[in-house]
Structure formats: C-alpha cells, structure tokens
Amino acid sequence: MSERSSKIPLLEVRGLKQYFEIDRTHTVKAVDDVSFTVEKGTTFGLVGESGSGKSTIGRSVIRLYNPTAGEIYLGGREISGKLTAEKKHYLTTKMQMIFQDPMASLNPRKKVIDIVAEGLDANHLYKDKKEREEKVYAILERVGLNHEQANRYPHMFSGGQRQRIGIARAMIMEPEIIIADECISALDVSIQAQVVNIMKELQEERGLTYVFIAHDLAMVKYISDYIGVIHLGHFVEMGRKEEIFDHPVHPYTKSLLSAIPEPNPLTEPGRKSVTYDKNAEGVDYTKGKKNYLTETHMVLATEEELAQWNA
Amino acid sequence: MEGLKEKEVVLDVKDVSVSFKTNVGTLNAIRGVNFTLHRGETVAIVGESGSGKSVTVKAVMGIKSANEKINTGEILYTYEENGEKRTVDLLKFSRKEMVEKYNGKHIAMVFQDPMTALNPLLTIGYQLTEGMMKHLHLEKKEAWARGEELLAEVGIPNPKLTMKNYPHQLSGGMRQRVVIAIAISCDPDVLICDEPTTALDVTIQAKILELIQDMQKKRNISVIYITHDLGVVAKVADYVAVMYAGKIVERGTAYELYFQPRHPYTWGLLLAMPDLNTTEDRLYAIPGTPPNLLKKIIGDAFAPRNAFALNIDFEEEPPVYKLSETHEVSSWLEHPDAPKVEMPEALVRRIARMTGTAKQKGGLANE
Ligand SMILES: Nc1ncnc2c1ncn2[C@@H]1O[C@H](COP(=O)(O)OP(=O)(O)OP(=O)(O)O)[C@@H](O)[C@H]1O
Ligand SMILES: Nc1ncnc2c1ncn2[C@@H]1O[C@H](COP(=O)(O)OP(=O)(O)OP(=O)(O)O)[C@@H](O)[C@H]1O
Ligand SMILES: [Mg+2]
Ligand SMILES: [Mg+2]
C-alpha cells in the first residue's frame, strides 16, 4: 500500500474528494483529498472518528456517489468518471460493499432469499431456480443462518441476523474486493469470530481483498495488514498494523488507542482516556504534509509537529 | 460493593415469555426471563445474537410487533408521583398509555438501529424538541436551545447545523448520538440502551459512557445496557445477565461473570473475545449454531453445542442455582451429583492474566 510500491495494487484511490452541499451556504467536505492503495489479498483497516468520512469513502469508491474529484482504479482499470453500463457491470462483479446500517440497506418488502440473490439476479449468475436457491442456502449457512430463515422478511430478524444477511449478499457475488463497513459490530463475539474466520478463509482460498471499516480496534488489529487512521476527512496516519499499534505518532491515533475499553472489570471502571483536541493543540491538517517514517509508515504533520510528537 | 444499604428495586422483570407468529410457525423468542434493576445501578445484558435481548427491553418500553404475543410474566415498575410511591405492571398498559405516560419521561430507550428510530422526513431539531415540549412543557425556543446543548453534550461538533439536518445527512455514529440525545432529553428514570455505541469510535464511545455515568451519579437513574462489547460491559456494569436462546443462563456482578463464570456458554463468550494480544490464526468461535426457536426446546438449549453436556441436559431444563447473593446460573453442572467440570484451560489463563494486570496497575478497583 505504500505509494512507492512497484506492483499494481488491486485498488488505488488518488486524491478522492467527496463534498455534499447542504444548502447554499453550507458544504460538507466529508472526504478531502484522500489517497490510498490496497494490494490484492490484503486487508486495509480504516479506523477513525465517527463522522470522519469512512463510509463516504466506501460509498464513493463503489460509486454510490459521484466523487467531487479524484481517480479510482480497480485492477488497473479506471472506475471513476462517467459510469457506463460496462463499468457498472465490472464494478458489481468485482467489488461489493457490506453496509453499516443493515435495516436501511435491506428492502423490507423482499424475502431474505431474494435480497441475498439480488446480485445474482441482476447479473444472471445461475442456470436455474434450483442453483439460485442452493447458492443462497450455502452462503446463509456459512454466516450462521438457516434455510428456514430464507423465507422471512428483514423485520423478523435481530440486529445481528440482519447484519449477516448483508454479509451474505456481498459474499455470494464472489467479488475480488469487499468493502466491509462495520460489518461485525452488531454481532455477538462468537459470531464475530465466525465471520472474521470466514473472511480470512476466503482470503486464503481466493486471495480476497478487504477494506475493513470498524471501531473495534482489537478486531481491526487482528484482521488488517495495513491501517489508515482518518480524522475529519484526512488520513492522519497510515502504516503496517504493527507500526500503528506499537509506534503511534499522531496524537489522534494515540488518543484512539488509549480509549479502547479493556474487558476487565477490575481495571476498566473509572479509567479515563487521553483526549485530543485538534484546535486546542493548534493542529491544521491542511498545513501538514505526508511524512514517511518508514517505507510504509506515514504521518500527516508539519515539521514542528512531527518533532514535537516524536519527542 | 455497598452491600448493607437497602437497595430500591426500580424494575422487576418476572418470568416474561414472548412469541412471534410467522409464516413458518410460532417462534418462541423469550422463554421466561427474570431480572431486577435497582435505583442508580446498571445491568448489562450480553449474549448471543438473536437470543432475545432487544425483544426483552422493547417489552419494557411497551413496543410490540404486530405478530408478537406476550405469553406470561409481569414487568413491575416502581416510581414516585406527587411524593407517593407507585408500582405498576407495564405489560398491562396499551401502547397508547405507554406513549402518553411512561415512554420518554419515565423510561427512555436508545434503539439499536438508529435509522429506524428516526423519521427520515423530519429534521433532527424537530425530533429532538418534540418530547421536551410535550413532557417537560418547554416553549419551542427553550426546547431548541436545550436541543443544541444536548447535541453538544453527546459530542456533535456543529449542533446548530445538525439541528437543521435530516437523518440521511448524518454519519452512522452521528445518528446514534442524536438518538442518545433524544433519549436523555426528558430526564428519564430508567434509560435503556440497546447497542448505543456500536457505530461510534472508541474516543466518542468513552465520552458517551462517561456522560451516561455522570447522569447516573447526578440523578440516580438506572440503566439497562445491551452490548456485545465486553470491554464496555466491564466499564459500566454493576450486574451482568447472559442470555442464550430466550433465557438468562447466568447472572451476577461483573466480577463474578468475568472471574468466576460457571455456565459453559459464558465460558464460550469470554473465550471468543479477541484482545489486542490475539494473534492466533483463527479466533475461537463456539461450535455449532444456535437452536431453531420455531421448535420446542427440550432440556438445556445450549446442550448440543456444549462439550460438557450431561445426558440430562438433553432431557430436562436445568433449574436456577444460586451461588451467591448475586450470582445465579442455570446449568445442570451445578447439581450436587454432577461430575466436577473445570473451566477451559485457556480461560483460566486469561483470567489469571486479567487479575495480573489489575495487580500491576495498582490494585483491585471493584472487589
Ligand atoms: N448524503 C449526505 N449528505 C450530506 N452530508 C453527508 C452525507 N453523507 C455523509 N455526510 C456527512 O459526511 C461526513 C462523513 O460521514 P460518513 O458517514 O462518511 O462518516 P463515518 O466516518 O462513516 O462515520 P461513522 O463512524 O459515524 O459511521 C459527516 O459529517 C456526514 O454528516
Ligand atoms: N417481528 C418478528 N417476527 C418474527 N421473529 C422475530 C421478530 N422480531 C424478532 N424476532 C426473532 O426473535 C428473536 C430475538 O430477537 P432480538 O431482536 O431480541 O435478538 P437480540 O438478542 O437483540 O439479537 P442481536 O444481538 O442480534 O440484536 C430472533 O430470533 C428474531 O429472529
Ligand atoms: Mg460510517
Ligand atoms: Mg438486538
């Protein structure tokens, strides 16, 4: 994922900007000049403050939004720009997204079997009804749901079950890359483990690539190879997971790591985390530049800031 | 723990069972749930996805789906009105009575799926001030000002703008915080939080948890907290209830649940949780799948997935064994004639590590 890598990355995002106009006087710069690359067969963890632009990056990359600026390449082919029918087909067969808000992304009037088969239907990916059904049942089973549940409607499911419907819908397409937006947060820890194990299996079997967006840093650390820390639409730090967890430099990364709640009722009650206030510390993200501490470890900072944080 | 002080029961959930009619049969979602909530305390409900946590707390709020039936039980709520103590069974009220009298003002809830709790067609400001005008009788302007304050309290960076936004214009975590702001806006007695911080980053999560704990100290409110994050449970919970397939299989203080767990399902949960040191190639997941609630469950629902199951586990439902004043478990392993079973080695090591870190960090906060 380093910008100097010589291999062609599976996903490359260059200078992505996504602005939203709220009204004539307000524009939200949800994503502001973001670049990153993801190598085939690896997992890129995206962590950061709520509202910092993680979901928007995912939605722009998969072209649910029309990016304000920037270029996006998938397998060396440009997928930004005008969305032709051919590009669209290429996109949906190669890339899938698991959405953060399960209920909002599932059609309430459709049965689960039809929701999960949506992508198969749209791209004619089966011979007959039987094969369609078999494919759906197989994937449901893999995510821990049973056949009987295939004929129910989304509102009849618990939060975690709905989340798994979303996972099944993405995985059934056998894409090359999945953008998983908070895809395990509503699951109990055992099913989380099960889903993460499936994700790893598929990665080993088929070289699947993930962009894994999550707030659970223990899980992000476990599953990711590289991690990007995003704050207010900017990557403030990026690197191999060891670099981020063992040698964090940016104060936002540090505050994030200090706030992870430990599953220990002896030490956790009353423990306070390190707070970080960008304005109080006078940090201006538009002034900082990308500093590479190693081939892979990037920190956004001015020279003075970097000296101060490293001290 | 204080121990001696007489504790005041705010909510007493007794033998509640709930089923749903579906096109494939009757689904028994809750099969006899019991727990109590004391004034000023926090009970966390953890457990399997689909085990009935949300259905249980929605019953407390008087929220029922069209195909839902409450078969047995009562939910006794004790509160003060005009200086007098009253106890009522919430299950006796209609939805309308609940909305008019209890929801929001007495008992408020933060819903798991914020998008379903918010009306997509109304601004955040409208939805946030509605309850305050109705229950607290605030003027529109006052309510609006208070709304902005609340948004700031839950860490929304630009409250003035957010008040004018529609739900789809906010990020997942911002929506979740709006729902939290709405829930606390009318000063409830009982606050139910169903996965309130899953969409939040850990720094904001910490802030929200501290906010709830502050409110709790100041106003002595009681909190029911549903979460899958055992780190969060460790931070906030006085008591923990573990649910599996529509029943509470174990409950106790946070200390008892983390350090002296007895039900094999609780063992599985604790083992499945990764921490920052986890590097194994595969995470531990409890083998098998949860039972089909459309079928009648015979014996202990966890038996087919339980490596320690006894013959009787497949025949008869285990009774509740009381291990301490606060610790209860429903498992045949507690029967005097049951073979002695030790918790898994990996869990013993994990617990030793936890007590070890606690000692290093200068002592036990909570014993
Ligand atoms: N359709 C939209 N219209 C207007 N503003 C939007 C829209 N979608 C997102 N935003 C704004 O863009 C910013 C980034 O939102 P995004 O959903 O990407 O955050 P996130 O990092 O995924 O946060 P979370 O962790 O809370 O899910 C937020 O300020 C949000 O209000
Ligand atoms: N309206 C409904 N019709 C049919 N079944 C339902 C309905 N609502 C819930 N259920 C079922 O009831 C069971 C309990 O659901 P509930 O939402 O309480 O689970 P939960 O413990 O909150 O799970 P999660 O952690 O995934 O949110 C689930 O098996 C679910 O499928
Ligand atoms: Mg998001
Ligand atoms: Mg739930």
Side-chain angles (χ1 to χ4, degrees):
Chain A
M1 68 127 236
S2 122
E3 291 183 3
R4 301 136 198 220
S5 170
S6 54
K7 272 189 288 178
I8 296 182
L10 181 64
L11 177 68
E12 178 166 13
V13 174
R14 267 194 235 151
L16 178 69
K17 293 185 185 176
Q18 186 73 61
Y19 296 173
F20 296 106
E21 224 172 89
I22 303 287
D23 53 35
R24 249 165 275 131
T25 48
H26 288 109
T27 298
V28 175
K29 298 186 176 180
V31 178
D32 205 7
D33 195 7
V34 153
S35 304
F36 63 100
T37 59
V38 189
E39 304 285 0
K40 185 173 165 49
T42 66
T43 300
F44 183 74
L46 200 51
V47 302
E49 190 171 36
S50 168
S52 60
K54 302 179 297 298
S55 300
T56 305
I57 291 177
R59 299 174 81 102
S60 308
V61 166
I62 202 158
R63 297 301 308 273
L64 284 172
Y65 297 141
N66 225 355
T68 310
E71 288 153 43
I72 307 163
Y73 297 88
L74 181 63
R77 255 183 84 171
E78 184 173 8
I79 54 170
S80 41
K82 192 171 176 300
L83 199 55
T84 58
E86 196 212 345
K87 233 184 225 178
K88 202 168 169 191
H89 179 79
Y90 178 72
L91 251 178
T92 47
T93 48
K94 297 265 177 198
M95 185 191 281
Q96 285 290 318
M97 179 156 176
I98 304 170
F99 294 96
Q100 175 167 12
D101 212 330
M103 203 49 188
S105 73
L106 304 176
N107 183 340
R109 279 176 292 275
K110 276 189 165 179
K111 287 185 178 167
V112 166
I113 182 165
D114 299 318
I115 293 175
V116 174
E118 252 164 37
L120 298 181
D121 293 345
N123 294 284
H124 315 290
L125 297 176
Y126 48 83
K127 313 192 283 291
D128 50 19
K129 199 164 165 262
K130 186 156 164 286
E131 192 188 342
R132 175 180 187 261
E133 200 177 81
E134 277 167 5
K135 281 192 167 180
V136 172
Y137 288 171
I139 200 77
L140 285 179
E141 191 157 312
R142 251 192 137 159
V143 297
L145 295 172
N146 61 41
H147 300 182
E148 262 148 324
Q149 290 168 317
N151 286 311
R152 296 192 214 159
Y153 294 91
H155 75 268
M156 298 180 164
F157 288 84
S158 77
Q161 290 165 337
R162 281 176 203 157
Q163 208 169 39
R164 280 175 278 165
I165 298 169
I167 295 172
R169 175 173 64 177
M171 284 188 170
I172 201 167
M173 294 299 289
E174 305 198 356
E176 284 185 25
I177 177 165
I178 294 183
I179 301 176
D181 192 359
E182 294 285 350
C183 75
I184 54 167
S185 58
L187 306 176
D188 69 70
V189 283
S190 177
I191 294 172
Q192 278 189 12
Q194 194 184 327
V195 169
V196 165
N197 287 343
I198 300 167
M199 289 176 70
K200 281 200 138 185
E201 265 165 47
L202 291 175
Q203 189 159 60
E204 286 157 20
E205 280 167 28
R206 304 211 308 253
L208 201 59
T209 307
Y210 299 104
V211 175
F212 188 77
I213 303 174
H215 288 302
D216 180 341
L217 294 163
M219 215 39 122
V220 171
K221 182 176 183 194
Y222 176 74
I223 198 171
S224 306
D225 301 291
Y226 296 97
I227 291 170
V229 182
I230 184 168
H231 192 217
L232 302 177
H234 297 267
F235 275 115
V236 295
E237 189 159 3
M238 216 190 283
R240 298 189 150 277
K241 70 171 159 196
E242 298 79 13
E243 291 169 331
I244 299 295
F245 277 88
D246 301 341
H247 309 287
V249 174
H250 199 282
Y252 178 67
T253 312
K254 288 181 184 162
S255 83
L256 207 55
L257 297 182
S258 80
I260 303 173
E262 283 172 54
N264 187 342
L266 293 177
T267 53
E268 195 51 32
R271 191 175 66 86
K272 292 266 188 289
S273 51
V274 183
T275 53
Y276 163 64
D277 182 347
K278 157 175 159 299
N279 299 330
E281 303 195 20
V283 179
D284 182 350
Y285 292 151
T286 55
K287 290 215 179 91
K289 62 174 196 11
K290 292 177 181 170
N291 299 277
Y292 280 88
L293 308 182
T294 71
E295 186 85 9
T296 47
H297 191 175
M298 184 282 287
V299 182
L300 182 72
T302 61
E303 260 166 55
E304 298 81 57
E305 283 162 1
L306 194 63
Q308 190 193 338
W309 298 339
N310 265 328
Chain B
M1 302 273 123
E2 290 109 307
L4 291 176
K5 201 173 75 202
E6 190 62 40
K7 284 185 187 165
E8 189 187 338
V9 174
V10 176
L11 209 57
D12 197 359
V13 176
K14 285 181 160 166
D15 193 36
V16 171
S17 59
V18 175
S19 60
F20 292 98
K21 274 223 150 42
T22 74
N23 49 350
V24 280
T26 302
L27 186 144
N28 296 305
I30 313 281
R31 305 177 301 124
V33 160
N34 293 285
F35 69 92
T36 47
L37 179 66
H38 296 108
R39 172 124 13 242
E41 287 188 344
T42 301
V43 169
I45 307 180
V46 301
E48 198 218 355
S49 169
S51 62
K53 302 179 297 295
S54 298
V55 171
T56 302
V57 292
K58 280 189 199 155
V60 176
M61 285 289 286
I63 298 173
K64 260 170 71 177
S65 306
N67 60 337
E68 178 170 351
K69 190 167 168 250
I70 306 224
N71 300 310
T72 63
E74 44 188 17
I75 298 178
L76 302 178
Y77 168 55
T78 305
Y79 65 105
E80 235 170 80
E81 196 173 48
N82 309 326
E84 243 177 88
K85 255 209 176 121
R86 292 188 61 189
T87 298
V88 291
D89 179 0
L90 296 176
L91 291 181
K92 294 247 152 59
F93 296 120
S94 68
R95 177 80 195 112
K96 188 157 172 276
E97 286 169 306
M98 284 301 288
V99 171
E100 291 289 310
K101 185 135 190 197
Y102 295 101
N103 287 173
K105 195 170 144 206
H106 287 273
I107 305 172
M109 177 159 167
V110 178
F111 291 90
Q112 180 167 13
D113 209 333
M115 231 12 202
T116 54
L118 294 171
N119 185 331
L121 303 176
L122 299 173
T123 62
I124 301 303
Y126 184 93
Q127 303 187 56
L128 181 52
T129 51
E130 200 184 9
M132 290 191 281
M133 296 192 316
K134 182 172 155 206
H135 293 302
L136 307 181
H137 312 292
L138 296 187
E139 295 292 326
K140 183 155 188 228
K141 248 177 96 183
E142 283 173 285
W144 202 269
R146 178 77 190 115
E148 285 178 5
E149 268 171 43
L150 282 164
L151 290 182
E153 274 186 59
V154 295
I156 298 267
N158 192 344
K160 276 204 160 55
L161 178 63
T162 305
M163 289 290 275
K164 289 191 238 158
N165 279 148
Y166 289 89
H168 78 271
Q169 295 175 319
L170 305 183
S171 79
M174 291 164 80
R175 283 178 210 149
Q176 210 165 33
R177 280 178 281 170
V178 166
V179 177
I180 292 169
I182 294 174
I184 61 179
S185 67
C186 296
D187 284 344
D189 257 0
V190 176
L191 179 65
I192 301 173
C193 299
D194 193 354
E195 301 274 0
T197 58
T198 36
L200 302 177
D201 69 85
V202 286
T203 59
I204 292 172
Q205 168 172 286
K207 212 170 149 182
I208 299 272
L209 297 181
E210 281 157 26
L211 176 72
I212 293 175
Q213 285 178 313
D214 274 356
M215 282 180 46
Q216 205 164 8
K217 267 199 216 110
K218 268 193 224 132
R219 308 209 11 264
N220 219 15
I221 60 172
S222 314
V223 180
I224 300 177
Y225 210 106
I226 299 179
T227 176
H228 291 300
D229 186 330
L230 296 170
V232 171
V233 174
K235 193 180 180 82
V236 302
D238 299 299
Y239 294 95
V240 186
V242 181
M243 268 188 96
Y244 187 80
K247 292 199 89 141
I248 291 176
V249 295
E250 181 162 9
R251 60 177 168 143
T253 61
Y255 184 86
E256 285 164 333
L257 258 295
Y258 281 73
F259 295 99
Q260 299 152 356
R262 295 290 270 268
H263 197 284
Y265 176 66
T266 314
W267 296 346
L269 264 192
L270 292 171
L271 276 174
M273 143 190 99
D275 60 25
L276 289 169
N277 308 315
T278 307
T279 51
E280 288 86 21
D281 202 32
R282 290 286 182 267
L283 295 172
Y284 174 80
I286 301 170
T289 50
N292 184 347
L293 297 172
L294 290 165
K295 304 220 168 84
K296 188 173 161 48
I297 288 173
I298 297 166
D300 183 338
F302 189 60
R305 307 173 70 184
N306 181 2
F308 310 99
L310 311 170
N311 287 335
I312 190 162
D313 273 310
F314 295 92
E315 290 156 12
E316 228 178 290
E317 201 175 316
V320 174
Y321 293 92
K322 215 173 158 84
L323 308 171
S324 80
E325 207 37 59
T326 45
H327 195 178
E328 285 180 359
V329 60
S330 167
S331 157
W332 281 116
L333 291 177
E334 300 303 326
H335 191 276
D337 297 341
K340 190 150 171 46
V341 167
E342 300 291 342
M343 72 170 93
E345 193 53 39
L347 191 53
V348 174
R349 280 200 302 274
R350 191 169 196 139
I351 290 173
R353 209 165 59 223
M354 290 200 286
T355 34
T357 355
K359 287 211 180 88
Q360 265 171 28
K361 288 194 179 159
L364 310 181
N366 214 9
E367 245 173 335

